[in-house]
Amino acid sequence: MPICSCEETINEFETLTRDAGRVQQDTLRKILELNANAEYLNHYGLNGRTDVESYKSCIPLCVHSDVEPYIQRIADGDTSPLLTGKPVTSLSLSSGTTQGKPKFLPFNDELLETTLQIFQTSYAFRNREYPIGKGKALQFIYGSKQVVTKGGILATTATTNLYRRPRYKEGMKDIQSQCCSPDEVVFGPDFHQSLYCHLLCGLIYSDEVHQVFSTFAHSLVHAFQTFEEVWEDLCADIRDGVLSEKVTAPSIREAVMKILKPNPELAESIRRKCMGLSNWYGVIPALWPNAKYVYGIMTGSMEPYLKKLRHYAGHLPLISADYGASEGWVGANINPTLPPEQVTYAVLPQTGYFEFIPLEKPKGQESENSASIHYIESDPVGLTEVKIGKIYEVVITTFGGLYRYRLGDIVKVAGFHNSTPELQFICRRSLVLSINIDKNTEKDLQLAVEEAGKLLEAEKLEIVDFTSFVEKSSDPGRYVIFWELSSDASEDVLRSCANCLDLAFVDAGYMGSRKIRTIGPLELRILKKGTFEEILDYFLSLGGAVSQFKTPRFVNPLNVKVLQILSRNTTKSYFSTAYGL
């Protein structure tokens, strides 16, 4: 099936969003007809009905633990219609970086199609603003290990489930997104070798690269930090036409050697350009002169990497990729000229059935900035019933067998495109830091780190990465923040940073608890260089994929191995004196 042209895709999107309410009813009917005999739906007495009213009155809102027993039965080999009409033949693994334990989620052909619809739509709008010809994409993408469950079902990350399907490759080719690297590099057994070869293939095809992409901003920053270390080796490979001995995986070597030919001129040109850069500013446009933009997910937990990514991207625009999760897609970025901090996502009404739980701040806390408010919830409303400026939690019903599933994401309605809302991602709803009455989310932690990070700028230092932990073994408990820095900072500055972090948590529960000392002084721990690289390697050893890796912003006490890595690599520790000793 050939993919439509950009103009046709935009026209179809305009038609669907003009009547989003009706499209939503049709989409729900389609999902429920396909899965009418699913045990989950019939357990709640839906009995084949497909209208919105019956659906909402019979089927309760759910979270992962509610559907886990069904998914486990699928993993164990039960082929009866449990969540979907047709048997589920593959499972996706969520990243699991916070809890240290990935979740299984159903994956099927219908989810693949909704992925392509989202990607085609955002590409059409992107291409209208930044047209790219028949070029290539420098893509830092990686397959992950696959596990076969007890029942013989293939389980791997959602991204790998996509990359492995011929239908996906076809779709990507049609939206001019061919990867510079051969498949053997994408699915290579060793991430570090794959990354090296992505960079090498990107340089070989440097004049043909029209966009630079990775799933997450973190992977892009990591790729160019690696480039700083290995660029001379890459130049030598290109000059001599011989692949570095550090690439030992036979599948990767063989595939890359087919495209690597001696090219002293290109090697010299790369060397000259690298030598001419000031602290690697603008390395991407310097080496890939025809690249139009840098693309990847840049919201939420990826925001802390934007400063570094802008440094590497120079004048090139950063475009935040679409909004979804391992569970399913929510919206496409149809305003690619907006910076990532302001990006909005238009919901595609044909990709799933969407509801939104209105969240209100309690009286007296309306003006508080903290994301950690304990919100008052109302009954979910439909896609076209949301109000501009209000905040909601997203609930999705997918073609993959999730019904009224709470995603745990807080979004704000920024506006409407025709009759479909444009959403701004605010944060994950789950609490990160909490000891007693204090409630701080990932966003609150990020804001506190940004505030304290300003003290490092005067010393020309930056935070490479950060995470947190709640230390409850002592009484009172305290927040522990871990930082890896670009180089050493003075004792005075780090003491000030500890105080600044402590004061930057503006949640009333936290401030009150600190004053009466039911929460102890915040502790800032400084880590050795390379600690977060070690955490990434540990995550990969569990079968995770780099393209899905998110630095855990909070380490669960059960995630013993990551806590051991952090503990082993701590070089210094500073306690806040912000609330007095």
Side-chain angles (χ1 to χ4, degrees):
M1 174 190 113
I3 307 297
C4 320
S5 73
C6 289
E7 212 167 304
E8 283 173 43
T9 302
I10 290 173
N11 289 340
E12 187 193 354
F13 171 78
E14 295 293 349
T15 304
L16 289 164
T17 55
R18 270 196 280 273
D19 200 358
R22 184 192 56 74
V23 175
Q24 277 283 275
Q25 289 178 358
D26 291 350
T27 303
L28 180 64
R29 191 183 68 248
K30 225 177 273 178
I31 290 171
L32 297 178
E33 278 172 358
L34 276 173
N35 305 313
N37 56 347
E39 184 184 311
Y40 183 87
L41 294 174
N42 292 322
H43 169 75
Y44 290 107
L46 192 60
N47 302 328
R49 285 173 291 175
T50 59
D51 61 290
V52 171
E53 291 69 28
S54 302
Y55 179 63
K56 287 171 87 164
S57 64
C58 290
I59 308 298
L61 294 171
C62 75
V63 292
H64 189 264
S65 55
D66 299 316
V67 288
E68 201 164 16
Y70 292 88
I71 298 174
Q72 196 54 56
R73 283 166 61 192
I74 291 166
D76 291 344
D78 188 337
T79 56
S80 62
L82 295 172
L83 292 170
T84 52
K86 286 191 293 194
V88 172
T89 53
S90 18
L91 292 167
S92 288
L93 288 160
S94 72
S95 65
T97 35
T98 306
Q99 305 293 338
K101 179 175 173 267
K103 299 181 298 204
F104 279 146
L105 293 155
F107 186 88
N108 60 10
D109 291 342
E110 285 80 9
L111 284 181
L112 171 64
E113 290 307 318
T114 59
T115 302
L116 287 173
Q117 285 173 343
I118 290 267
F119 286 5
Q120 286 154 24
T121 303
S122 59
Y123 172 77
F125 282 94
R126 207 160 63 242
N127 212 47
R128 197 160 71 171
E129 296 292 341
Y130 308 103
I132 57 177
K134 273 283 178 215
K136 291 184 183 293
L138 170 53
Q139 298 187 332
F140 297 99
I141 57 176
Y142 310 90
S144 66
K145 290 176 188 151
Q146 302 184 10
V147 294
V148 176
T149 67
K150 194 168 90 180
I153 304 278
L154 195 66
T156 184
T157 56
T159 44
T160 305
N161 265 326
L162 290 175
Y163 300 153
R164 288 212 172 269
R165 302 205 173 202
R167 170 83 184 100
Y168 177 77
K169 284 183 195 161
E170 240 172 76
M172 287 294 101
K173 209 176 287 177
D174 286 337
I175 62 172
Q176 298 161 342
S177 193
Q178 271 185 290
C179 185
C180 292
S181 310
D183 278 359
E184 289 82 356
V185 173
V186 175
F187 296 108
D190 179 277
F191 153 66
H192 300 283
Q193 295 180 40
S194 288
L195 169 51
Y196 183 87
C197 291
H198 276 319
L199 289 165
L200 181 62
C201 295
L203 291 169
I204 291 168
Y205 295 115
S206 54
D207 286 344
E208 294 176 56
V209 168
H210 287 206
Q211 54 163 307
V212 177
F213 167 81
S214 190
T215 313
F216 289 123
H218 170 269
S219 301
L220 287 163
V221 168
H222 186 266
F224 289 102
Q225 282 172 332
T226 303
F227 181 80
E228 289 184 36
E229 293 162 18
V230 301
W231 71 274
E232 287 168 296
D233 297 345
L234 293 164
C235 280
D237 292 0
I238 292 169
R239 186 186 64 233
D240 304 334
V242 178
L243 184 57
S244 164
E245 285 175 3
K246 68 173 78 166
V247 181
T248 55
S251 59
I252 302 182
R253 273 199 86 81
E254 200 180 315
V256 174
M257 283 304 291
K258 283 180 187 161
I259 59 170
L260 179 63
K261 302 286 178 278
N263 192 338
E265 282 170 29
L266 176 60
E268 179 53 25
S269 159
I270 294 165
R271 193 192 69 78
R272 264 201 325 272
K273 286 173 178 175
C274 289
M275 298 298 281
L277 292 171
S278 166
N279 194 21
W280 299 101
Y281 176 81
V283 60
I284 300 175
L287 296 179
W288 290 277
N290 296 314
K292 298 280 177 48
Y293 50 80
V294 177
Y295 187 60
I297 293 169
M298 299 181 188
T299 49
S301 60
M302 293 300 127
E303 266 186 46
Y305 305 107
L306 288 178
K307 188 178 170 194
K308 191 70 176 170
L309 190 52
R310 283 203 169 97
H311 180 81
Y312 288 134
H315 66 269
L316 288 180
L318 301 185
I319 305 179
S320 193
D322 308 305
Y323 170 29
S326 300
E327 289 86 350
W329 288 100
V330 180
N333 178 1
I334 62 165
N335 300 307
T337 56
L338 285 176
E341 294 87 346
Q342 292 165 27
V343 70
T344 61
Y345 304 98
V347 181
L348 270 62
Q350 80 280 23
T351 57
Y353 181 71
F354 300 94
E355 297 171 75
F356 297 86
I357 300 170
L359 302 175
E360 291 289 337
K361 293 181 179 178
K363 290 241 180 303
Q365 294 184 37
E366 293 88 353
S367 62
E368 280 200 34
N369 245 345
S370 166
S372 58
I373 303 287
H374 198 63
Y375 293 104
I376 298 163
E377 297 180 4
S378 316
D379 291 338
V381 297
L383 181 70
T384 56
E385 297 160 351
V386 294
K387 302 272 190 290
I388 293 175
K390 297 285 186 191
I391 54 174
Y392 299 88
E393 182 186 342
V394 183
V395 176
I396 60 172
T397 294
T398 71
F399 282 95
L402 297 177
Y403 305 99
R404 304 196 79 200
Y405 185 99
R406 297 178 72 143
L407 264 190
D409 288 351
I410 296 180
V411 296
K412 184 178 192 173
V413 178
F416 279 85
H417 184 94
N418 295 327
S419 61
T420 200
E422 293 195 32
L423 309 173
Q424 209 168 6
F425 179 85
I426 303 293
C427 62
R428 296 282 298 151
R429 189 164 181 190
S430 53
L431 293 177
V432 168
L433 295 162
S434 181
I435 290 174
N436 44 50
I437 60 166
D438 51 313
K439 296 180 179 73
N440 283 296
T441 65
E442 190 174 284
K443 186 73 177 173
D444 298 313
L445 172 63
Q446 183 191 317
L447 292 171
V449 169
E450 279 172 12
E451 194 55 41
K454 290 173 186 169
L455 301 176
L456 297 171
E457 285 173 12
E459 300 214 346
K460 304 248 182 311
L461 292 172
E462 54 190 38
I463 299 163
V464 173
D465 223 329
F466 65 93
T467 189
S468 66
F469 174 67
V470 168
E471 178 56 81
K472 288 185 177 170
S473 61
S474 59
D475 188 26
R478 66 181 183 280
Y479 290 5
V480 180
I481 312 294
F482 297 91
W483 280 4
E484 182 181 326
L485 300 176
S486 54
S487 57
D488 294 339
S490 70
E491 299 279 314
D492 286 353
V493 166
L494 291 172
R495 279 195 199 95
S496 302
C497 286
N499 289 348
C500 184
L501 279 167
D502 207 0
L503 293 169
F505 287 103
V506 294
D507 162 58
Y510 182 77
M511 291 160 71
S513 299
R514 281 290 286 115
K515 282 173 188 157
I516 61 168
R517 301 187 186 177
T518 52
I519 292 179
L522 177 143
E523 183 185 359
L524 171 62
R525 293 186 193 171
I526 304 302
L527 300 165
K528 276 182 205 157
K529 266 192 159 176
T531 303
F532 283 95
E533 182 86 21
E534 198 180 325
I535 291 171
L536 169 61
D537 286 339
Y538 166 67
F539 171 74
L540 297 180
S541 74
L542 298 178
V546 177
S547 48
Q548 209 182 14
F549 177 76
K550 299 181 199 140
T551 297
R553 292 292 174 227
F554 168 70
V555 183
N556 189 296
L558 301 174
N559 204 341
V560 177
K561 184 68 186 169
V562 171
L563 285 173
Q564 284 171 348
I565 294 170
L566 291 168
S567 180
R568 189 171 64 240
N569 285 292
T570 297
T571 56
K572 288 179 179 164
S573 166
Y574 302 88
F575 283 89
S576 161
T577 55
Y579 287 84
L581 291 169

